[in-house]
Amino acid sequence: MKKIFLIIPISIIIGVIVLGSQSDQPNTNNEPVFHVTLASPELYENGVYSSTFDLENGEYYFRFVPNGDSPQNLTISLNGDDFAFSEDFKLNGTLHDTGISEYYTWDYDGQKSILIPTQKEIFIQINPNGNLKGSVSVDIIGN
């Protein structure tokens, strides 16, 4: 009986130590360094959304939350001192057939990774190529 009482407290202590050590590590894989949800024509000026933000050196990638009404083509450009990136993303729907129903999932095809060599202020422009009413969220995620 005494062995059971010792095993339970020791396993709790080990669990607390493991969880505590994991919480000290930053979770940069899912935290956006840039986020915008474009869901209204008022967010665009002359048909283009633009903003500035800072990026540390490192590798980043785009994450999108589109739907079937999102812009078919999304042109994104990033510019900074000695840095330029531009990509024309194309909306791609994938049909899923479960046997009892069919549905689509949506994502943008294109180069999603970006390498920033040094810390920079970045100027971003997002052009939905005329589709100002279709909604889409755009994130830039640290790797």
Side-chain angles (χ1 to χ4, degrees), residues 124-142:
I124 186 170
Q125 289 187 310
I126 303 173
N127 183 347
N129 298 291
N131 185 349
L132 304 181
K133 295 183 181 177
S135 66
V136 62
S137 290
V138 178
D139 292 328
I140 296 178
I141 309 294

Side-chain angles (χ1 to χ4, degrees), residues 5-68:
F5 290 118
L6 279 176
I7 292 172
I8 292 172
I10 290 173
S11 62
I12 291 172
I13 291 169
I14 291 171
V16 169
I17 291 170
V18 169
L19 288 175
S21 67
Q22 289 178 348
S23 67
D24 291 340
Q25 299 171 357
N27 183 5
T28 59
N29 290 335
N30 295 321
E31 296 297 321
V33 294
F34 172 83
H35 169 81
V36 66
T37 298
L38 300 171
S40 170
E42 291 80 30
L43 296 171
Y44 300 95
E45 185 174 320
N46 297 322
V48 176
Y49 170 84
S50 60
S51 183
T52 58
F53 60 99
D54 292 325
L55 282 182
E56 300 290 327
N57 65 316
E59 186 176 356
Y60 296 89
Y61 63 95
F62 288 100
R63 179 175 66 187
F64 300 98
V65 181
N67 60 57

Side-chain angles (χ1 to χ4, degrees), residues 66-80:
N67 60 57
D69 292 333
S70 294
Q72 293 297 308
N73 298 300
L74 199 61
T75 302
I76 299 179
S77 62
L78 304 171
N79 292 292

